[in-house]
Every structure is written in structure tokens, then in C-alpha cells.
């Protein structure tokens, strides 16, 4: 079908496609080329060597990873049970869920930061540490995680599967563990990777709140080591692509190689 | 294997009564079909028996024990749903052993039992396939095996065949009947396919608007419908509204022979019901024989070996139709638009009091 679609595409379609390709590929290629520039007319991997040698990069990367994992855990622990419950027992609440899940798109990040700093009172263990960032990251990643889980839940007949499990003598816990979560594997992987990508790339919050995450580090480096920052950008692009590829492969696995064991 | 007793169950949704004081008793090992038009409350009744929804009033008893307050997982009832309900992350075998597995049976026993049941439904070779690798009919067989794996006291089937194509449906319904006989499990099957209900049940329960209209064996339901609704709903045939007059029913100034009318008060509003296989046709030549009715041929529907002919009573503006089933080669003589003679055995029509007459006149 998609083959037939491609054949039917007129010259206008091709022009658009090529222009879009140029639009995406040129900046990337220039960034990659710039990351290899060593001054004058010499090119090499000096910028990447510099990156690896940097003492601060592992710390920044580790911090971002920790934040990402904490955000994933918070999102999944809250969203999965809430969405299963909503679908089974309160489908009338769906519009409310949809509304909440799109709010972060509507409120600009900087407004969120302003709101957060106003809340600068709270327990010591949270406010003083970078894990304070999990709160805004939770809301930033919420729409993506929600959408991915929603697609997964719509693909299975949750009510019938639950009732089938109950009629076979299983309790709700057993049904969630043995049937629902395994059937949502692709959606769970998808929302995890999307959340990772969002958190790894987030700059505004971390910068304003003065934490040195991966994105902040990249920005600081760009101010004095422009080629190294470009190298970092290329690397983070590759990481994001790998994450997206992961989503695609997990999604494909759902239909062709059912998992579970 | 147990008796099931539904005792005066009522249920409303949002103020609308869906089940009205409904009672139904089933014997051990009996297969009862719940038959009725869409929205009449069949699924609701089944789900109340299964425990997924609580009745507003009334009780459900299984083997004499009140189970009304028990959760679905405590009721030991196998259920097969209309929608495909196999667990998508498990193979056919794992689906079937799910019940014994959550009950904590030893693994070897789970697998042995699941194997036997897959054998019973004829799917041993497909044990390692996932639901999406099975056809619709195969999935419903696995669902049946899975429901039986918990050795249920009662088996509840909610239109398990409605998503399948006609041929598979006929094959599978016979298989359900065979397996039900072999296992002897008391079974309720919901359907709105009357042929399905008549062909496999011990008794058919005809429902409309939350009430049971008649519960009887298939042949009784077919031959002696208790009211106009059951008559219209089961099989095909004409239900004509009229007035009892001795041994006939007067319909629009025609006296239609029906000896059963004598059981009604002269002048009472009745419904006369006659099946197409009881109506004989002859070409019109001269005088009408006594007890015959002149009718007009309206349309012919070819049904294979039989052809069904729709006839209308003269001078009634097409309001009153009857049907006659004829061998197809005979039917060719009766051309739409022509006048013909219809006759039937005086004892063939059923005559029932017209329940709605008061409503219509008042
Ligand atoms: N959860 C519910 N909330 C509100 N109304 C409901 C609910 N379940 C069923 N109903 C209503 O109750 C009536 C009976 O529904 P039920 O599903 O029992 O019908 P049915 O006989 O199974 O019909 P079908 O042949 O279409 O499956 C319908 O009018 C339906 O709209
Ligand atoms: Mg139904």
C-alpha cells in the first residue's frame, strides 16, 4: 500500500520531500562537519577526544540518567494503575485525563519554572537536591508517556481480558501482573524511551535552577569549546535516534513476535 | 454440574428497567439458550449470573447455594465472551492452563489438563500458537477450553459465535453441544440467532424487554408459541390480528378458518398465527372451495429447494400478509400479481389472545 502511495506521488510531493530532507539533513551534517573541524583546514576527532577526557561529562551524564530513571519510575507508577483504573471503572474520566495530559504543552516551560521557584519551601531532602527536577520533568514527559500508554491500552480489550481473568478465578493483582502488563510491553517501553529522551534533552529547568545536567553541560561547553559542543550535539542526536529505534522495534515486536516469556 | 436458579431478579440502569422480576430455573447438565432481540437484557442476565453486576433485587442460586454476594472469581463459572478474549501474551496452552495456574495447581497437572482440553476442542497441534496466529473460530475454541479448565459448575456463553462466518458457526455450535454433553456442565448460551437456539438447546428461553416470555423445549417453542411475540420471533410465519368468531378468526371482513378460535370468547381480540409450511396454494379457477381464501401473490423469495411466497389478503391495502413455502419448481406457477387460492388445515393455526389490543384501542 505504501509502495503504491509512493508511486502515485507527483512532482510536488517529491519536491516537498526533498526540501524537508534538506531542511533536516543540512544542519545536522554541518554540525557533524563542524565537530570534526580542528582550526584552519585540519579535520579530526580532537573534539570527541576532548569530550571523553572531560572530567565533568560523566557526572553530568550520570545526573541526567538518574533524573531520567527517577522520572520514568514516578510516571509509570502513577500513570499505569491510574489509566487501568480509569479505563475499567471510570471511562467517564477520560476527558479529564486527556486534558491534564496536554496541559504541559500549553504552559510554557519558563512559566513552570517561575511557578516552581515560588514553591521553594519544602522538605530538605527534596528541595536542596537535583531530584527536585523530577517534579517539572514529570510534567514535561507526561503527555508523551500518557499518549504511548493510551495507544497500548486502546489496542487491547481491557474490560474483557479483566473479566476473563476474574471468571477464571484470578484476582486483580494477578490479572495486572500476568496479563495486562505483558500485553502492554510495547507501550511501556515506548513511554520509558520517550521520557528518557525528554529528560536527557531538557535545558530550561536545569539551567534556571542551577543544576549541571547533560544539556546544561553541553551549553556551557559550547560557550568556550564550540567544536566539542557540536560533537556532544551529534552524540546526543545518536542517543535520541537509538531511543526512537528502540520504540519502533518494541512496537513491531508486539505484532510479529509476541513476547511474554 | 449444578442446578442454577435465578430468583426474581430485577435490574435497572439509570432508571431504566432492564430486567423485571425475572426467574429461571435450570436443571443439572441442561443447556438453555437465552434468545431475544438486541437490548432485551440477555447479556445483563448472564453477567448477573456470572457476578459481574449485582442485581438490584433477587438472588442467584447455584446447586442450591446463594451466590449473589460472591465475587466472579469465587463463583467457579466458566465464561466465553462475544469479543475475542484470549490473553494476547500467552500461547493457546498457557491460556488454557491460566485457571489451574492461578488456583495454584502443580505445573504438571496444569499442563496435562490444558492438553486434554485442547484435545477435546480439537486444537492439540495449535497449543504453542499465540491468539493472533489463530482464526476466530480457533480462538473461541481455545476460550471454551480455557473456561472448562477450571471445572466450572456453570458455563456461560455470551454470543460466542456471532463474530464467525456462517459455516464455522454451524460447525462450532454442534461442537459446543457435543462438548457440553460430554462434560455435562450446566450451560447458558446467549444468542439472537433463533436457528442456533432451536438446534442445540434442551430448552429455549425467549426474552423481550427484560421479561421471559416462554421457556420450553425447541419443538414446543416452534409449534406452540405462547404469544404473538414468540411466534413472530421464532421461525417465520404470519401473525394476523383479528376477532374470534366460532371456528374462524375474522380479519378485515374475511373469515379465516381456525378451529382453535373456538376456545376464545366470541368477539374477543385475538392473534392468529400460521406457519408458511401449513399454507397450500392452488391456481384460481372458478369458485372458491369451502374454507379457502382468495389471496394475491406479492413476491417470491428463492430459498434453494423451497421458495417462500408472500401473499396478501384482498382489500386490506397490503396490511395483512401470509407466507407459503412451496417446492421451488411448483412455485414458478405463482406469478406475483396473480390471484390464487390459499388453504390450510383448520387445526393448523394457533390462536392467542391479543395482548396489545387494549393498548391499541384505549
Ligand atoms: N452498564 C450499562 N449502563 C447503562 N445501560 C446499560 C448497561 N449495560 C446494559 N445497558 C442497557 O441495558 C439494556 C440491555 O442490555 P443488554 O446488553 O443486556 O442487551 P442484550 O440483550 O445482551 O443485547 P444484544 O443482543 O445487543 O447484546 C440495553 O438497553 C442497554 O443499553
Ligand atoms: Mg448482549
Amino acid at each position: 500500500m505504501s509502495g503504491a502511495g509512493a508511486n502515485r506521488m507527483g512532482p510536488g510531493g517529491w519536491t516537498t520531500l526533498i526540501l524537508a530532507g534538506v531542511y533536516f539533513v543540512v544542519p545536522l551534517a554541518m554540525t557533524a562537519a563542524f565537530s570534526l573541524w580542528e582550526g584552519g583546514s585540519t579535520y579530526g576527532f580532537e573534539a570527541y577526544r576532548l569530550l571523553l577526557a572531560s572530567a565533568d561529562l560523566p557526572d553530568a551524564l550520570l545526573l541526567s540518567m538518574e533524573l531520567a530513571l527517577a522520572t520514568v519510575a514516578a510516571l509509570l507508577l502513577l500513570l499505569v494503575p491510574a489509566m487501568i483504573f480509569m479505563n475499567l471503572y471510570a471511562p467517564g474520566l477520560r476527558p479529564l485525563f486527556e486534558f491534564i495530559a496536554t496541559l504541559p504543552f500549553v504552559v510554557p516551560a519558563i512559566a513552570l519554572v517561575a511557578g516552581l521557584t515560588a514553591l521553594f519551601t519544602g522538605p530538605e531532602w527534596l528541595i536542596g537536591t537535583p531530584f527536585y527536577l523530577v517534579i517539572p520533568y514529570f510534567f514535561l514527559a507526561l503527555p508523551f508517556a500518557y499518549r504511548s500508554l493510551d495507544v497500548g491500552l486502546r489496542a487491547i480489550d481491557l474490560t474483557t481480558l479483566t473479566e476473563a481473568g476474574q471468571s477464571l478465578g484470578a484476582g486483580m493483582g494477578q490479572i495486572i501482573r500476568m496479563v495486562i502488563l505483558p500485553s502492554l510491553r510495547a507501550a511501556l517501553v515506548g513511554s520509558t524511551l520517550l521520557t528518557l529522551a525528554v529528560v536527557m534533552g531538557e535545558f530550561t529547568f536545569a539551567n534556571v535552577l542551577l543544576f549541571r545536567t547533560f544539556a546544561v553541560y553541553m551549553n556551557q561547553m559550547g560557550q568556550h569549546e564550540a567544536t566539542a559542543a557540536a560533537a556532544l550535539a551529534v552524540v546526543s542526536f545518536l542517543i535520541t535516534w537509538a531511543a526512537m529505534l528502540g520504540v519502533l522495534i518494541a512496537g513491531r515486536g508486539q505484532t510479529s513476535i509476541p513476547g511474554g516469556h | 454440574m449444578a442446578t442454577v436458579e435465578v430468583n426474581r431478579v430485577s435490574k435497572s440502569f439509570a432508571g431504566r428497567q432492564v430486567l423485571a422480576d425475572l426467574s429461571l430455573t435450570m436443571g443439572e447438565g441442561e443447556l438453555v439458550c437465552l434468545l431475544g432481540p438486541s437490548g432485551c437484557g440477555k447479556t445483563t442476565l448472564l453477567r448477573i449470573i456470572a457476578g459481574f453486576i449485582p442485581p438490584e433485587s433477587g438472588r442467584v442460586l447455584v446447586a442450591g447455594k446463594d451466590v449473589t454476594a460472591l465475587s466472579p472469581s469465587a463463583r467457579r463459572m466458566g465464561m466465553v465472551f462475544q469479543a475475542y478474549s484470549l490473553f494476547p501474551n500467552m500461547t493457546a496452552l498457557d491460556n488454557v492452563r491460566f485457571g489451574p495456574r492461578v488456583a495454584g495447581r502443580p505445573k504438571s497437572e496444569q499442563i496435562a489438563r490444558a492438553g486434554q482440553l485442547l484435545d477435546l476442542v480439537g486444537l492439540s497441534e495449535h497449543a504453542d500458537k499465540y491468539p493472533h496466529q489463530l482464526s476466530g473460530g480457533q480462538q473461541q475454541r481455545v476460550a471454551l477450553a480455557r473456561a472448562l479448565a477450571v471445572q466450572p459448575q456453570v458455563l456461560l456463553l455470551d454470543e460466542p459465535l456471532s463474530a464467525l462466518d456462517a459455516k464455522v458457526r454451524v460447525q462450532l455450535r454442534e461442537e459446543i453441544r457435543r462438548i457440553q454433553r460430554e462434560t455435562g456442565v450446566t450451560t447458558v448460551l446467549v444468542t439472537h440467532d433463533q436457528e442456533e437456539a432451536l438446534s442445540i438447546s434442551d430448552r429455549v428461553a425467549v426474552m423481550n424487554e427484560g421479561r421471559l416470555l416462554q421457556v420450553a423445549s425447541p419443538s414446543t417453542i416452534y409449534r406452540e408459541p405462547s404469544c404473538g411475540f414468540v411466534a413472530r420471533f421464532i421461525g417465520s410465519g404470519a401473525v394476523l390480528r383479528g376477532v374470534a368468531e366460532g371456528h374462524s378468526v375474522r380479519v378485515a371482513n374475511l373469515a379465516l378458518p381456525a378451529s382453535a378460535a373456538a376456545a376464545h370468547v366470541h368477539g374477543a381480540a385475538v392473534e392468529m398465527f400460521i406457519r408458511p409450511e401449513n399454507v397450500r396454494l392452488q391456481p384460481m379457477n372458478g369458485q372458491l372451495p369451502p374454507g379457502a381464501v382468495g389471496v394475491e401473490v406479492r413476491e417470491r423469495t428463492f430459498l434453494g429447494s423451497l421458495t417462500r411466497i408472500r401473499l396478501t389478503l384482498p382489500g386490506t391495502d397490503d396490511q395483512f400478509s401470509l407466507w407459503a413455502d412451496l417446492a421451488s419448481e411448483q412455485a414458478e406457477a405463482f406469478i406475483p400479481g396473480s390471484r390464487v387460492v390459499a388453504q390450510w388445515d383448520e387445526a393448523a393455526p394457533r390462536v392467542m389472545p391479543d395482548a396489545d389490543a387494549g393498548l391499541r384501542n384505549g
Side-chain angles (χ1 to χ4, degrees):
Chain A
M1 239 182 86
S2 62
N7 287 340
R8 245 184 283 119
M9 196 159 68
W14 282 111
T15 315
T16 314
L17 203 68
I18 288 166
L19 281 179
V22 167
Y23 181 79
F24 285 115
V25 170
V26 166
L28 255 181
M30 297 313 259
T31 309
F34 181 63
S35 73
L36 297 174
W37 184 59
E38 289 173 359
S41 59
T42 48
Y43 286 85
F45 287 92
E46 181 55 30
Y48 292 87
R49 269 195 294 279
L50 207 71
L51 265 188
L52 283 179
S54 149
D56 293 339
L57 177 62
D59 285 345
L61 200 59
L62 189 69
L63 177 61
S64 275
M65 286 302 278
E66 283 173 354
L67 285 173
L69 292 179
T71 310
V72 166
L75 269 172
L76 293 187
L77 283 178
L78 192 90
L79 273 187
V80 172
M83 289 177 72
I84 290 175
F85 178 86
M86 180 269 280
N87 274 288
L88 279 180
Y89 303 112
L93 290 182
R94 175 180 289 280
L96 180 69
F97 273 62
E98 298 276 339
F99 176 70
I100 292 174
T102 42
L103 262 191
F105 282 149
V106 185
V107 181
I110 198 69
L112 275 176
V113 178
L116 263 177
T117 45
L119 283 179
F120 240 133
T121 52
E124 277 289 307
W125 57 265
L126 182 64
I127 299 303
T129 73
F131 283 96
Y132 184 53
L133 282 172
V134 171
I135 299 172
Y137 289 177
F138 178 94
F139 291 106
L140 278 188
L142 179 67
F144 302 99
Y146 176 85
R147 199 50 58 203
S148 171
L149 286 174
D150 189 51
V151 168
L153 282 167
R154 278 171 198 267
I156 60 174
D157 186 345
L158 195 63
T159 310
T160 308
L161 292 182
T162 305
E163 289 183 351
Q166 285 174 336
S167 74
L168 294 167
M172 206 54 216
Q174 283 172 312
I175 294 169
I176 291 182
R177 194 162 37 81
M178 295 165 75
V179 179
I180 299 178
L181 291 184
S183 311
L184 289 179
R185 198 178 52 106
L188 291 170
V189 172
S191 49
T192 300
L193 292 178
L194 288 171
T195 306
L196 283 180
V198 167
V199 174
M200 294 301 284
E202 200 288 324
F203 173 73
T204 317
F205 285 100
N207 195 43
V208 173
L209 297 172
L210 301 176
F211 292 113
R212 218 153 171 243
T213 61
F214 181 67
V216 174
Y217 177 82
M218 191 160 105
N219 180 267
Q220 284 171 354
M221 178 161 255
Q223 287 165 7
H224 52 267
E225 282 291 351
T227 56
L232 205 51
V234 171
V235 170
S236 62
F237 250 112
L238 292 178
I239 293 175
T240 313
W241 279 350
M244 292 304 162
L245 208 64
V247 175
L248 286 178
I249 290 170
R252 183 112 42 90
Q254 186 89 345
T255 52
S256 65
I257 333 150
H261 298 280
Chain B
M1 281 128 281
T3 58
V4 175
E5 194 186 334
V6 175
N7 195 314
R8 310 200 55 182
V9 159
S10 298
K11 180 76 193 175
S12 312
F13 287 115
R16 224 188 103 243
Q17 187 147 50
V18 173
L19 295 179
D21 200 21
L22 187 146
S23 296
L24 174 68
T25 306
M26 298 174 53
E28 258 177 52
E30 198 180 20
L31 192 160
V32 171
C33 277
L34 285 181
L35 181 64
S38 188
C40 72
K42 305 179 296 289
T43 298
T44 306
L45 176 58
L46 203 75
R47 290 168 59 79
I48 286 176
I49 298 176
F52 291 121
I53 34 184
E56 245 150 49
S57 61
R59 300 183 305 159
V60 177
L61 291 93
V62 175
K65 260 184 46 203
D66 191 339
V67 299
T68 319
L70 291 183
S71 73
S73 50
R75 289 196 188 193
R76 276 191 56 210
M77 295 192 184
M79 184 131 185
V80 177
F81 300 81
Q82 174 174 9
Y84 299 136
S85 63
L86 292 185
F87 304 135
N89 59 312
M90 297 182 196
T91 60
L93 188 86
D94 287 344
N95 263 282
V96 178
R97 74 186 177 93
F98 183 86
R101 189 168 148 210
V102 296
R105 313 301 308 169
K107 188 161 182 188
S108 56
E109 186 190 319
Q110 295 166 21
I111 290 177
R113 174 132 192 85
Q116 277 168 14
L117 284 163
L118 282 176
D119 221 21
L120 185 68
V121 298
L123 287 178
S124 313
E125 312 97 273
H126 301 281
D128 293 327
K129 288 196 177 157
Y130 284 90
H132 71 97
Q133 297 167 315
L134 298 169
S135 72
Q138 289 169 335
Q139 288 188 44
Q140 290 302 65
R141 277 167 216 251
V142 175
L144 181 63
R146 182 178 68 175
L148 290 169
V150 294
Q151 293 178 296
Q153 291 189 291
V154 182
L155 186 61
L156 305 172
L157 311 165
D158 190 358
E159 306 202 33
L161 308 177
S162 65
L164 308 175
D165 64 59
K167 209 168 158 190
V168 180
R169 206 154 61 207
V170 171
Q171 205 183 344
L172 198 47
R173 79 182 182 212
E174 268 145 32
E175 213 162 319
I176 287 176
R177 181 51 160 166
R178 169 183 66 82
I179 290 165
Q180 190 268 338
R181 281 218 173 94
E182 275 175 39
T183 53
V185 58
T186 312
T187 301
V188 186
L189 185 135
V190 168
T191 177
H192 52 228
D193 179 343
Q194 41 123 340
E195 189 194 316
E196 192 173 298
L198 293 178
S199 64
I200 66 170
S201 25
D202 292 311
R203 283 191 303 156
V204 178
V206 183
M207 276 182 82
N208 190 34
E209 295 182 345
R211 286 166 212 282
L212 282 179
L213 299 179
Q214 189 173 14
V215 185
S217 71
S219 62
T220 307
I221 291 268
Y222 188 80
R223 281 198 309 257
E224 297 162 29
S226 64
C227 61
F229 181 87
V230 176
R232 279 188 199 91
F233 199 75
I234 303 283
S236 46
V239 181
L240 302 168
R241 291 204 157 107
V243 173
E245 278 184 4
H247 280 67
S248 61
V249 174
R250 178 160 298 277
V251 176
N253 294 323
L254 288 167
L256 305 180
S259 53
H264 295 262
V265 178
H266 191 94
V270 293
E271 290 186 302
M272 183 188 116
F273 168 60
I274 184 157
R275 294 232 176 254
E277 60 266 35
N278 292 325
V279 177
R280 299 184 304 273
L281 295 184
Q282 289 169 26
M284 182 80 87
N285 38 18
Q287 282 297 104
L288 271 181
V293 186
V295 294
E296 189 171 322
V297 173
R298 276 307 159 108
E299 61 219 16
R300 293 184 298 192
T301 312
F302 180 68
L303 303 173
S305 64
L306 290 177
T307 292
R308 179 158 298 168
I309 300 183
R310 185 163 80 89
L311 310 156
T312 53
L313 300 181
T316 63
D317 270 349
D318 224 9
Q319 266 187 53
F320 296 95
S321 293
L322 343 162
W323 284 267
D325 279 354
L326 269 64
S328 287
E329 63 272 23
Q330 257 184 301
E332 278 165 29
F334 299 95
I335 295 152
S338 61
R339 292 289 297 267
V340 297
V341 176
Q343 261 181 306
W344 54 84
D345 185 345
E346 201 186 34
R350 259 182 89 70
V351 178
M352 299 158 285
D354 185 351
D356 298 337
L359 290 177
R360 260 179 292 124
N361 297 336

